[in-house]
Amino acid sequence: MALPPRYGGGGRGFAARVVVIEELLAAGAPVSAHWVADRQAGPSILAHGTEEQKQRFLPAIAAGRCFFSIGMSEQEAGSDLANVRTRAERVPGGWRLTGTKKWTGGAHVNDYAIVLARTGEHEDRHQGLSQFIVDLRAPGVRTEPIHLLTGEHTFNWFHLDGVEVPDGMLLGQEGDGWKQVTGELAFERSGPERYLSTFPLLVSLTRELRRGAATPDQQARLGALLARIFAIRQLSLGVADALDTGRPADVRAALVKDLGTRLEGELVHEVRRILPRAANTGATPGSYPHHLAYALLHSPGYTLRGGTNEILRGVITRGLERQS
């Protein structure tokens, strides 16, 4: 929706996209396949890519024919992203990438990944980083599954064993990787997925309370959760507006992510206090025990994905210091 019409998009902007994404997430729609391509790979290519890259990838993304993964995190460089050890070395006609990424969602089924790699040595670790568009079916690419507590396979180890990447697949300028990736994280950290991952559980709780006679205490606790969601939603819409108007959004996005993912984890436990029931993965899909079980199993990852809360608070603090 947010990509320009000349590249096959709707030209509607990020705020309009948020409205649709909210409805998809609230309904529990299956959106993960196209998620990264639509949310951040497309906008990143639009912002930093060559015209050839835009013509090649953006219409395919808009048509739902091209799927992307994120090649950022590593074993010892998750939230400390500047510590990446994946290297890109110059070879005739391009680059050779060697290293291992972790938590690469969809790498076993997607088409491409935008990979952050070190292309030069500097005293400042934030220098000498570049981004590459890597074909996930290229020789030397190998994935290993990482299973969630639910048993689901969505994440992977993503090995690059001397993968050849042509010059035309360098995204943006060599050495600008850190600046580019921090801008990309604003897309990743600020959307409705940061406060609506557990929304189906809240809907299920509300239905259960309607069936019975909800006590004043239950109503008050439910109201407090809804008020927090509404407040974070307003912050998220503010980030979408900033992105639409070209204003800096990294600090606001970090704030949304910190507040949103803390709420998601706390919501699961508060819901259990409001209506104590046994969680059960084998219960009827869509039922309260079923939603509760899956929310409990997913909740440990809420404050990790997209950067830990501790790292995000550092981003927020440094941003406020710049503004003061």
Side-chain angles (χ1 to χ4, degrees), residues 25 35 39 187-188 191-197 264 305:
L25 293 176
W35 192 260
R39 180 184 67 185
F187 299 113
E188 182 177 350
E193 68 273 23
R194 298 308 173 200
Y195 55 92
L196 289 181
S197 295
E264 287 186 319
R305 59 190 189 184

Side-chain angles (χ1 to χ4, degrees), residues 59-133:
I61 288 173
R65 298 194 308 268
C66 185
F67 305 93
F68 271 77
S69 293
I70 302 170
M72 292 187 197
S73 295
E74 298 180 9
Q75 177 67 18
E76 297 181 7
S79 295
D80 185 15
L81 193 57
N83 196 37
V84 294
R85 297 180 180 178
T86 296
R87 302 193 65 83
E89 298 176 327
R90 267 289 187 187
V91 295
W95 302 81
R96 180 181 293 116
L97 271 62
T98 304
T100 297
K101 298 294 181 178
K102 191 177 183 183
W103 308 117
T104 310
H108 58 303
V109 292
N110 288 344
D111 301 305
Y112 295 91
I114 296 181
V115 173
L116 182 67
R118 187 161 296 284
T119 50
E121 293 298 334
H122 293 268
E123 185 175 340
D124 182 353
R125 295 180 306 149
H126 300 88
Q127 302 297 316
L129 295 168
S130 303
Q131 287 187 301
F132 298 87
I133 301 173

Side-chain angles (χ1 to χ4, degrees), residues 69 104-111 113 136 141 143 154-158:
S69 293
T104 310
H108 58 303
V109 292
N110 288 344
D111 301 305
L136 290 173
V141 172
T143 63
T154 58
F155 292 103
N156 303 272
W157 293 92
F158 167 36

Side-chain angles (χ1 to χ4, degrees), residues 13-16 18 190 234-249 252:
F14 294 101
V18 165
S190 63
Q234 295 304 105
L235 289 172
S236 179
L237 289 171
V239 175
D241 181 65
L243 292 171
D244 276 334
T245 55
R247 289 176 286 132
R252 296 185 188 190

Side-chain angles (χ1 to χ4, degrees), residues 121-275:
E121 293 298 334
H122 293 268
E123 185 175 340
D124 182 353
R125 295 180 306 149
H126 300 88
Q127 302 297 316
L129 295 168
S130 303
Q131 287 187 301
F132 298 87
I133 301 173
V134 176
D135 185 343
L136 290 173
R137 291 166 180 77
V141 172
R142 181 169 54 90
T143 63
E144 290 182 63
I146 298 174
H147 293 282
L148 304 181
L149 290 173
T150 59
E152 297 169 87
H153 173 202
T154 58
F155 292 103
N156 303 272
W157 293 92
F158 167 36
H159 303 283
L160 298 134
D161 301 324
V163 177
E164 301 282 346
V165 178
D167 274 327
M169 291 298 100
L170 171 68
L171 180 61
Q173 298 298 313
E174 179 185 349
D176 280 355
W178 184 257
K179 180 176 68 175
Q180 292 173 195
V181 85
T182 52
E184 182 181 334
L185 285 169
F187 299 113
E188 182 177 350
R189 290 171 170 167
S190 63
E193 68 273 23
R194 298 308 173 200
Y195 55 92
L196 289 181
S197 295
T198 48
F199 193 77
L201 172 62
L202 200 59
V203 172
S204 183
L205 168 68
T206 304
R207 288 172 178 160
E208 289 295 314
L209 293 178
R210 281 177 177 169
R211 291 192 183 103
T215 68
D217 180 67
Q218 287 174 320
Q219 292 176 349
R221 286 173 178 266
L222 177 60
L225 290 174
L226 292 171
R228 288 178 67 183
I229 288 175
F230 182 81
I232 296 169
R233 178 177 185 266
Q234 295 304 105
L235 289 172
S236 179
L237 289 171
V239 175
D241 181 65
L243 292 171
D244 276 334
T245 55
R247 289 176 286 132
D250 56 335
V251 175
R252 296 185 188 190
L255 185 61
V256 170
K257 203 275 181 185
D258 178 31
L259 293 173
T261 53
R262 273 194 289 154
L263 168 63
E264 287 186 319
E266 293 166 9
L267 183 147
V268 177
H269 300 294
E270 179 65 2
V271 164
R272 294 181 78 189
R273 286 189 284 268
I274 294 172
L275 188 61

